[in-house]
Amino acid sequence: MNYLLITYVLSIMLILLFSLAYPLELYPIKRELEEKAIALDYLAVANALSLVSKQASENDLAPGSLCDLFNDTLMDEMEVMREYSDFEGSVLNFTCSWNGSSAYARVFFNHPWGTEVITVFLSARIEVIRKVPSSLTAHRLVIAKVELLSDRPVDVSFYSEELYVLNVHPLPDQTYLLRLFTRSEGDIRLYIIDERGITLVVTINGNP
C-alpha cells in the first residue's frame, strides 16, 4: 500500500474541510480600495461645498448659479484626485443648497462596484436668550444660544464684523452659548465656519 499517497489524499481532504468550515476573506484588498474611494468622494463633496458656501456668504448667488458653481468645483476636485490617486468615480446626480443658516450637498457617485451616496451638511439654529443695554457705554450685551447640526461632529469658529467682543462657551451636542458685545444698531451678521471650511451666516437681532 502506498502510504505516501494515502497521506497526501488525507491532507487534501483536511484542507478542503477546513476551508469549508472557516471560509477565508477573499476581497480584503478590494474592500480597502472601496473605502478609500468613498473617503475621496466625501473629501471632494466637502471641499466643493466649502467653496460654494464661502462664495454664497460673500455674494448673492441665485440657486442656479450656486449649483453650477458646486458642479464646476466638484469636477475640479475629482480631476485633482484622478491625477494623484487611482480614483475612478463619476457623478450620476447631485443636489445642493445654501440659505445662510444651512449648507447642504448630496452626490450620487458611480463606481465599478456600484453607486455610493455622499451627504455633507451643516446647519445652525440661533436663539437670543437675553439683551442687556449698557447705561455707561454704547455697547450692548446679547446672549444667544447656537445649535448646530451636521453629518458628522465638527469644530467651528465664530466671527462677526459688528461685534466688539465675542465670548464662546461650548455646551454638549454641538451647542454653544455666545456672549456678544456690540456697538452696532440693528441686526448682527454672525459667521459660522467649521473645520471643513463650510460657512454659514446667521442674523441676530441686536436691537434693544
Side-chain angles (χ1 to χ4, degrees), residues 8-208:
Y8 179 76
V9 172
L10 289 175
S11 299
I12 295 296
M13 292 177 64
L14 287 172
I15 291 173
L16 291 174
L17 289 173
F18 183 83
S19 299
L20 292 173
Y22 303 98
L24 299 177
E25 177 60 56
L26 298 179
Y27 306 108
I29 297 178
K30 178 183 176 182
R31 186 55 195 167
E32 182 179 338
L33 292 175
E34 291 177 1
E35 291 175 352
K36 179 182 177 182
I38 294 171
L40 291 175
D41 289 347
Y42 185 92
L43 183 61
V45 176
N47 287 347
L49 187 60
S50 170
L51 187 142
V52 167
S53 65
K54 185 176 186 300
Q55 292 285 337
S57 69
E58 298 172 350
N59 305 282
D60 186 15
L61 295 180
S65 299
L66 186 145
C67 288
D68 288 343
L69 178 60
F70 178 84
N71 181 66
D72 293 343
T73 307
L74 184 61
M75 294 301 106
D76 291 343
E77 289 288 331
M78 294 172 62
E79 189 61 34
V80 171
M81 290 179 183
R82 290 191 186 96
E83 184 176 351
Y84 293 99
S85 69
D86 53 357
F87 183 78
E88 298 181 357
S90 60
V91 173
L92 295 174
N93 195 8
F94 73 88
T95 57
C96 68
S97 63
W98 187 91
N99 64 2
S101 62
S102 175
Y104 176 90
R106 191 179 195 196
V107 181
F108 294 79
F109 287 93
N110 182 44
H111 290 283
W113 64 86
T115 301
E116 297 289 345
V117 183
I118 303 296
T119 302
V120 178
F121 66 89
L122 177 69
S123 63
R125 188 178 73 88
I126 191 160
E127 175 188 358
V128 175
I129 298 175
R130 190 179 179 190
K131 301 176 185 178
V132 183
S134 173
S135 58
L136 300 178
T137 68
H139 301 116
R140 286 174 291 109
L141 168 64
V142 179
I143 301 175
K145 182 173 71 172
V146 177
E147 298 177 357
L148 299 178
L149 184 64
S150 59
D151 60 282
R152 59 177 58 181
V154 291
D155 292 329
V156 298
S157 59
F158 299 89
Y159 166 76
S160 177
E161 296 178 352
E162 292 95 356
L163 297 178
Y164 179 63
V165 177
L166 169 60
N167 294 327
V168 180
H169 178 64
L171 300 174
D173 300 326
Q174 293 197 108
T175 302
Y176 299 84
L177 188 66
L178 309 182
R179 293 166 58 88
L180 318 173
F181 291 87
T182 179
R183 293 175 177 172
S184 66
E185 296 292 337
D187 294 339
I188 303 167
R189 285 168 55 87
L190 179 68
Y191 291 81
I192 304 172
I193 306 171
D194 75 6
E195 62 192 34
R196 301 167 295 186
I198 298 174
T199 304
L200 304 180
V201 184
V202 294
T203 301
I204 302 173
N205 186 342
N207 289 322

